[in-house]
Amino acid sequence: MAKILILGGGYGGLITAVTLQKKLHYNEAEVTLVNENSYHYFTTELHIPAAGTGHHERFRVPIKSLLNEQKIRFLQARVTAIDVQAQKVELATGDRLDYDYLVIALGSAPETFGIPGLLEYAFGIRNINTVRMIRQHIEYMFAKFANEPHRPELVTIVVGGAGFTGIEFVGELADRVPELCREYDIDREKVKIYNIEAAPQALPGFDPELVEYAVNVLENKGVTFLINTPIKECTPEGVILADGREIKAATVVWTGGVRGHALVENSGIETMRGRVKVDAYLRAPGFENVFVVGDCSLVFNDEGRPYPPTAQMATQQGQALGANLVALLRGGAMTPFRYIHRGTIASLGKGEGIGMVGRRKLFGAQAAFMKKIVDNRALFMVGGLSLVLKKGKF
Amino acid sequence: MAKILILGGGYGGLITAVTLQKKLHYNEAEVTLVNENSYHYFTTELHIPAAGTGHHERFRVPIKSLLNEQKIRFLQARVTAIDVQAQKVELATGDRLDYDYLVIALGSAPETFGIPGLLEYAFGIRNINTVRMIRQHIEYMFAKFANEPHRPELVTIVVGGAGFTGIEFVGELADRVPELCREYDIDREKVKIYNIEAAPQALPGFDPELVEYAVNVLENKGVTFLINTPIKECTPEGVILADGREIKAATVVWTGGVRGHALVENSGIETMRGRVKVDAYLRAPGFENVFVVGDCSLVFNDEGRPYPPTAQMATQQGQALGANLVALLRGGAMTPFRYIHRGTIASLGKGEGIGMVGRRKLFGAQAAFMKKIVDNRALFMVGGLSLVLKKGKF
């Protein structure tokens, strides 16, 4: 029986598995999904538990609850090496797995663009563990400030990067800060939130009218934007800007970009910033049986520009790959993958958002409402109606 | 009109004020209560919000809500100096207050017995600000441990001192740890709670049968006792014991003892470990118009041994002093203060406790029940039935 090995239970890997599960008959293939955690988490919403405006339990689901174990075996383990020449995958336990078809869906790592200190001193909105730490770090700094009111840096928060994650995170933070101020008897005025972006506008590449709306909403909530302002260095005390200014901040969160997972870079597959430029069937160059989906993959549009790594992309890739793997197993032909951009929506905290669906711009409550629909749709694709009922937004 | 100035809104100062408020007619004296915070907190229960088993809001009450402002003026300010020669009290604002009668009720400061590093690196269960910080510090360390599982010291908690505060705190901690383990996906086995005491038994001076019961209950809840084990030094990494052993712990809480507030030591009044040996009318030696109550005062029993500083003592002193001040104002005679020990009860976490009331020993649920009655009685004395209804335990 053919062995399909899927590495990673994020959107790309999980949707591949779930699609296989739907289409495969029993005993048609031996499918194994390997993931470091016992759960899948909703990467696109991690800014919420990171800020503390929602509990992380709402944003994860046990992988076993999504799988039919007669069709897909789940293995909780950390992958430590991929050897595509020997067709072996090594786990932290020392075990080695072999495969006929490999799906690499290990997600991303932070891209620091060489800025010193970011990996050491900045937090990242990366997974359940790191967002719990961000939430607790911020709250601890507020608790400390109540004891050391002469140290304003304790309640200064720097968010590096005003892309989607950065913008959505400061939106949640701005909602969270008044709660923290009440909890620790702190004046709201004392708290500073900086969103710092190197590019000449927030949400680089996004519609300027929507960007202006977003910046206005967030400024009114108390966020200070420093646009066109590269960060030169991150230190234990805060950040140093390119112009030499220093912002002292006990909390620095870097959302400035991602690259592919380091394991992929070390696997022998050709990568660009850790991402694999896949062919029309999502295969790694030179390997008929190695597929790459999600943030580890790189897909170009018709104008030759790379699509940004998104959950939407990973989900569509997972669906396409699941169907193609079934076709392969049955001796059929694969269908080339084509990404369909359904739109982009960003939340700006409670009841606020912006979005672009087709040519239509969405603002405020309308965008926030659409965001809920999109999030529920993502839940439906992962775990059907029962998951929407358990973790959905109403 | 005579000016009565009360420094401190803890049990001693507040009960003095509340007693005056009950007994004084309007315009019989000008009474001012000065306190750093706008609220009174329940010192004897701070181990609960420190562990995080109960929210701090339950353990404080706005002072203004307890006072009739026609009779007692409340001033939120920090006292920076007391000059009993000049009859002046200096505030952080630079203002100076004068008085005809001064009541010093500023509470305690930690007693470190000269152990190096305790003031710098150990937390203290001292007030609302410090217990919020302890709660958040511990939770933050659990969140960090989920990211750095190779660092067991992150979930190692050392409590220095197995007196009443230490014992009650580890009792709450033992209840809190399983909640934290669930929140951060941590094995309970990984978490260590050490209660370290220099004296040859926990709860030094307390009935041995009750002590044995308490230690058993807490050991079964996962607390490790190191009795007869002095701490030599507290470091940023943990504690070093007298025998040279090191316990690496990201959290060290010192409950080993208290001394009087430093302002009293610097006031020109004679003190022993910052506490003032008061006369039968709670006066400072050599001053007819300076009274000291609560943890700043030192009262001896008939065998010539000092009573430990407790809320029970402070409350009885406040009641006696309030009555005596009214007598003084009206030209009457003061009544000598006599402490009546009503018993001692310690909680050991949810549903567990020990106590001694008269010659009767209380264990387990019975002690926990009595503890609630005692706590509600304390609330009643501070704020009457309405406060019991708002903050009481049922």
Side-chain angles (χ1 to χ4, degrees):
Chain A
M1 211 169 10
K3 287 182 182 174
I4 301 176
L5 179 58
I6 305 171
L7 307 181
Y11 289 105
L14 186 63
I15 297 284
T16 303
V18 166
T19 306
L20 283 172
Q21 170 170 282
K22 268 185 221 148
K23 294 183 189 282
L24 284 179
H25 305 302
Y26 287 102
N27 300 318
E28 203 178 347
E30 194 184 305
V31 185
T32 303
L33 173 64
V34 180
N35 193 53
E36 185 167 0
N37 300 304
S38 62
Y39 50 83
H40 163 80
Y41 54 83
F42 313 157
T43 317
T44 54
E45 304 192 55
L46 287 181
H47 55 281
I48 300 171
T53 40
H55 192 268
H56 58 262
E57 211 53 65
R58 275 177 51 206
F59 304 104
R60 66 174 175 180
V61 54
I63 289 178
K64 283 202 173 172
S65 74
L66 304 172
L67 298 182
N68 172 348
E69 290 191 77
Q70 319 278 200
K71 288 187 173 177
I72 316 264
R73 184 168 77 111
F74 174 62
L75 193 62
Q76 187 184 343
R78 192 160 58 81
V79 177
T80 50
I82 301 168
D83 185 340
V84 285
Q85 303 298 343
Q87 296 201 187
K88 295 275 183 205
V89 167
E90 196 186 88
L91 305 180
T93 54
D95 290 335
R96 284 159 162 264
L97 304 174
D98 54 12
Y99 59 83
D100 298 303
Y101 300 99
L102 179 66
V103 178
I104 299 177
L106 288 166
S108 62
E111 171 61 84
T112 63
F113 305 107
I115 302 170
L118 278 184
L119 286 180
E120 295 85 347
Y121 308 121
F123 293 96
I125 299 177
R126 293 212 300 277
N127 54 46
I128 295 289
N129 283 336
T130 68
V131 301
R132 283 192 292 218
M133 191 160 66
I134 293 171
R135 176 191 72 194
Q136 289 310 123
H137 176 82
I138 291 172
E139 188 161 354
Y140 183 39
M141 295 304 116
F142 275 69
K144 270 193 155 172
F145 182 68
N147 288 275
E148 301 171 56
H150 57 284
R151 296 182 58 199
E153 71 275 15
L154 291 174
V155 287
T156 302
I157 303 170
V158 165
V159 178
F164 277 89
T165 307
I167 287 284
E168 292 194 302
F169 181 52
V170 295
E172 295 299 319
L173 269 185
D175 286 351
R176 177 69 175 140
V177 160
E179 295 174 11
L180 288 171
C181 287
R182 270 195 300 281
E183 177 75 6
Y184 297 99
D185 306 316
I186 292 170
D187 285 345
R188 172 65 184 85
E189 314 297 300
K190 302 275 169 82
V191 181
K192 305 283 178 234
I193 304 172
Y194 292 98
N195 194 355
I196 304 181
E197 170 61 49
Q201 72 163 41
L203 295 169
F206 208 55
D207 176 84
E209 192 190 0
L210 291 169
V211 174
E212 197 193 330
Y213 180 87
V215 168
N216 278 337
V217 165
L218 294 171
E219 282 181 342
N220 286 336
K221 284 186 174 193
V223 177
T224 302
F225 283 92
L226 299 176
I227 302 300
N228 217 345
T229 307
I231 290 174
K232 195 168 74 182
E233 191 181 346
C234 183
T235 72
E237 280 76 46
V239 291
I240 298 169
L241 306 179
D243 60 15
R245 268 185 298 168
E246 181 178 13
I247 299 179
K248 288 195 188 291
T251 307
V252 179
V253 179
W254 177 246
T255 70
V258 296
R259 55 186 296 134
H261 195 290
L263 280 182
V264 184
E265 295 187 81
N266 304 330
S267 68
I269 302 171
E270 194 188 321
T271 59
M272 295 171 63
R273 279 207 184 137
R275 300 173 69 196
V276 180
K277 189 178 162 181
V278 291
D279 69 12
Y281 305 103
L282 304 171
R283 288 178 300 200
F287 296 91
E288 294 279 306
N289 65 339
V290 177
F291 300 84
V292 186
V293 294
D295 291 0
C296 289
S297 75
L298 196 55
V299 176
F300 287 80
N301 67 13
D302 293 339
E303 288 90 54
R305 300 189 52 181
Y307 285 108
T310 61
Q312 196 177 166
M313 170 61 81
T315 300
Q316 291 184 28
Q317 288 178 322
Q319 291 177 306
L321 178 55
N324 276 342
L325 284 168
V326 173
L328 271 184
L329 289 172
R330 293 177 185 164
M334 296 198 290
T335 310
F337 171 68
R338 222 183 138 71
Y339 174 67
I340 300 160
H341 185 65
R342 297 212 166 83
T344 304
I345 301 179
S347 113
L348 303 169
K350 201 166 164 52
E352 272 292 352
I354 49 168
M356 182 73 111
V357 177
R359 303 210 169 277
R360 175 116 189 252
K361 296 177 190 178
L362 301 177
F363 298 88
Q366 199 180 29
F369 179 74
M370 267 305 281
K371 174 89 172 139
K372 285 187 191 174
I373 293 178
V374 169
D375 289 340
N376 288 340
R377 189 181 134 80
L379 288 178
F380 183 80
M381 306 236 289
V382 167
L385 205 55
S386 82
L387 188 62
V388 178
L389 290 173
K390 260 186 269 176
K391 310 268 175 174
K393 295 176 176 171
F394 304 103
Chain B
M1 211 167 14
K3 287 181 180 173
I4 301 176
L5 180 57
I6 304 171
L7 306 182
Y11 288 106
L14 186 62
I15 297 282
T16 303
V18 166
T19 306
L20 283 171
Q21 168 169 284
K22 268 185 221 148
K23 294 184 190 283
L24 282 180
H25 305 300
Y26 288 101
N27 300 319
E28 203 177 350
E30 195 184 304
V31 185
T32 303
L33 173 64
V34 180
N35 193 54
E36 187 168 358
N37 300 305
S38 62
Y39 50 84
H40 163 79
Y41 53 82
F42 313 156
T43 318
T44 52
E45 304 192 55
L46 287 181
H47 54 281
I48 299 171
T53 40
H55 192 267
H56 59 261
E57 212 51 66
R58 275 178 51 205
F59 304 105
R60 66 174 175 180
V61 54
I63 290 178
K64 283 201 171 173
S65 74
L66 304 172
L67 298 182
N68 172 349
E69 288 190 77
Q70 319 278 201
K71 288 189 174 177
I72 317 265
R73 184 167 77 110
F74 174 63
L75 193 62
Q76 188 186 342
R78 192 160 57 84
V79 177
T80 49
I82 301 168
D83 184 341
V84 285
Q85 302 298 342
Q87 295 201 189
K88 295 277 183 206
V89 167
E90 197 184 270
L91 304 180
T93 55
D95 290 335
R96 284 158 163 264
L97 304 174
D98 55 11
Y99 60 82
D100 298 303
Y101 300 100
L102 180 66
V103 178
I104 299 176
L106 287 166
S108 61
E111 170 62 84
T112 63
F113 305 106
I115 301 170
L118 278 184
L119 287 180
E120 295 85 347
Y121 308 121
F123 293 96
I125 299 176
R126 293 212 300 277
N127 55 46
I128 295 289
N129 283 336
T130 67
V131 301
R132 282 191 292 217
M133 193 161 65
I134 293 171
R135 176 192 72 193
Q136 289 311 125
H137 176 82
I138 291 173
E139 190 162 353
Y140 183 39
M141 294 305 115
F142 275 69
K144 269 192 158 174
F145 182 69
N147 288 274
E148 300 171 58
H150 56 285
R151 295 183 57 199
E153 71 275 17
L154 291 173
V155 288
T156 302
I157 303 171
V158 164
V159 178
F164 276 88
T165 306
I167 286 285
E168 292 194 302
F169 181 52
V170 294
E172 295 299 319
L173 268 185
D175 286 351
R176 177 69 175 139
V177 161
E179 294 173 12
L180 288 170
C181 286
R182 268 194 301 280
E183 177 73 8
Y184 297 100
D185 307 316
I186 292 169
D187 284 346
R188 172 66 184 85
E189 313 297 299
K190 302 277 170 81
V191 181
K192 306 281 179 231
I193 303 172
Y194 291 97
N195 194 355
I196 304 181
E197 170 62 49
Q201 74 162 39
L203 296 170
F206 207 57
D207 177 85
E209 191 189 1
L210 291 170
V211 174
E212 195 192 333
Y213 180 87
V215 168
N216 276 338
V217 165
L218 294 171
E219 282 181 343
N220 285 336
K221 284 185 174 194
V223 177
T224 303
F225 283 92
L226 299 176
I227 301 301
N228 217 345
T229 308
I231 290 175
K232 194 170 76 183
E233 190 181 346
C234 182
T235 72
E237 280 77 46
V239 292
I240 298 168
L241 305 178
D243 60 15
R245 266 184 300 166
E246 180 178 13
I247 299 179
K248 287 195 188 290
T251 307
V252 179
V253 179
W254 177 246
T255 70
V258 296
R259 54 188 295 134
H261 195 289
L263 280 181
V264 184
E265 295 186 82
N266 303 328
S267 68
I269 302 171
E270 195 189 320
T271 59
M272 296 170 63
R273 279 205 183 138
R275 301 172 69 194
V276 179
K277 188 177 163 181
V278 291
D279 70 12
Y281 305 103
L282 304 171
R283 289 179 300 201
F287 296 91
E288 295 279 306
N289 64 340
V290 177
F291 300 85
V292 187
V293 293
D295 291 0
C296 290
S297 75
L298 197 53
V299 176
F300 287 80
N301 67 12
D302 293 338
E303 289 91 53
R305 299 189 54 181
Y307 285 108
T310 62
Q312 196 176 170
M313 170 62 81
T315 300
Q316 291 185 28
Q317 288 177 322
Q319 290 177 307
L321 177 56
N324 276 342
L325 283 169
V326 172
L328 271 184
L329 288 173
R330 294 178 184 164
M334 296 198 291
T335 309
F337 171 68
R338 225 187 134 67
Y339 174 67
I340 300 160
H341 185 65
R342 297 213 166 84
T344 303
I345 301 179
S347 112
L348 303 170
K350 201 167 165 49
E352 272 293 353
I354 50 168
M356 180 74 108
V357 177
R359 303 206 170 280
R360 174 117 190 252
K361 297 177 190 178
L362 302 177
F363 298 88
Q366 201 181 26
F369 179 73
M370 268 305 279
K371 173 88 172 140
K372 284 187 191 175
I373 292 177
V374 169
D375 289 339
N376 287 340
R377 189 181 134 79
L379 288 177
F380 184 80
M381 307 237 287
V382 167
L385 204 54
S386 81
L387 189 61
V388 178
L389 290 174
K390 260 186 271 175
K391 309 267 174 175
K393 295 176 177 171
F394 305 103

